[in-house]
Amino acid sequence: MKVNKYNKKEQCSHCRRHRQRFHIIVHIFCALVYSRLIFIWSHILLHWFFSVKKAIQLSIDKNSIQAFLEDNLINPIIDKKINQLSGGELRYLEIKLVLENDKKFALLDEPYNGLSPIAIENINALILQNKAKKGIIITDHNYKNVIEISTDLYLMKAGALSKIKTTEDLVFHGYLHSIL
């Protein structure tokens, strides 16, 4: 919102196209995009404004977009608006955007939550593919998938960090009752 010389409030160009109550949200999102930071606030920002294709164009390097779009789980949803995606489709898109951007580190908080087995396989492949070029930190209770793809594994319990080498260590530290 701008204030002109007569002390009257004017709407900026984005606000004319969108409802007034989303004014601050639009400006926060624009600041994030322009600073090239990747924060996926799916339920607040992307749902209201963009198609999947537009979100990809704003988040991914232009040279990488074509490869991104060839994904068999992204291709069917490319023309949908973000608010039309299922929870699993949205989660997959978010994780893929974070892993495929050019940042040196990614923090994935429970990346397997709400995903189909095929999407989990694709996410594991993406993590393995990208771990050579970026540091990836995963926090998740789905320990089987995390163990499968991790190079280093740590358990945080009661404020202490313990290095985990085998699944028996998870039993020893009280994370599991037994190994299935």
Side-chain angles (χ1 to χ4, degrees):
M1 184 84 44
K2 300 175 187 174
V3 178
N4 65 19
K5 64 182 179 180
Y6 304 108
N7 232 1
K8 292 184 179 179
K9 295 179 180 177
E10 296 178 5
Q11 290 183 337
C12 61
S13 60
H14 336 39
C15 297
R16 284 186 217 121
R17 292 182 300 225
H18 304 294
R19 290 182 271 176
Q20 182 60 36
R21 66 183 172 175
F22 295 115
H23 177 80
I24 291 174
I25 293 172
V26 171
H27 283 283
I28 291 169
F29 184 74
C30 290
L32 293 174
V33 170
Y34 294 138
S35 66
R36 303 277 303 152
L37 295 173
I38 301 298
F39 289 100
I40 304 298
W41 292 351
S42 61
H43 298 290
I44 298 171
L45 300 173
L46 294 180
H47 277 200
W48 298 105
F49 304 110
F50 298 122
S51 67
V52 170
K53 190 172 194 174
K54 185 66 171 179
I56 293 167
Q57 290 170 342
L58 289 171
S59 304
I60 302 297
D61 180 49
K62 289 180 182 177
N63 299 328
S64 305
I65 289 177
Q66 189 58 37
F68 192 98
L69 296 177
E70 291 172 1
D71 185 312
N72 61 349
L73 295 178
I74 296 294
N75 209 333
I77 63 171
I78 196 68
D79 293 322
K80 288 184 177 182
K81 295 282 185 189
I82 297 292
N83 66 349
Q84 296 172 326
L85 299 179
S86 71
E89 290 170 333
L90 180 60
R91 187 74 175 149
Y92 184 79
L93 175 64
E94 291 170 340
I95 294 166
K96 185 159 173 126
L97 286 172
V98 168
L99 289 173
E100 294 289 332
N101 71 41
D102 59 354
K103 304 306 176 213
K104 294 185 190 239
F105 290 93
L107 173 61
L108 302 177
D109 184 28
E110 300 197 14
Y112 305 112
N113 193 19
L115 294 179
S116 69
I118 291 172
I120 289 173
E121 287 177 14
N122 286 9
I123 291 298
N124 283 347
L126 281 170
I127 290 170
L128 292 172
Q129 176 185 357
N130 284 287
K131 74 180 187 179
K133 62 182 179 180
K134 72 169 56 189
I136 302 171
I137 299 170
I138 302 170
T139 63
D140 206 305
H141 295 286
N142 187 335
Y143 68 93
K144 291 179 182 176
N145 279 310
V146 174
I147 287 173
E148 184 180 312
I149 60 169
S150 296
T151 52
D152 291 312
L153 191 62
Y154 292 88
L155 173 69
M156 181 177 278
K157 184 175 178 187
L161 203 58
S162 304
K163 178 124 172 101
I164 303 298
K165 296 178 183 167
T166 65
T167 50
E168 288 84 15
D169 291 343
L170 293 174
V171 174
F172 176 78
H173 290 287
Y175 186 75
L176 297 175
H177 290 296
S178 63
I179 299 171
L180 302 175

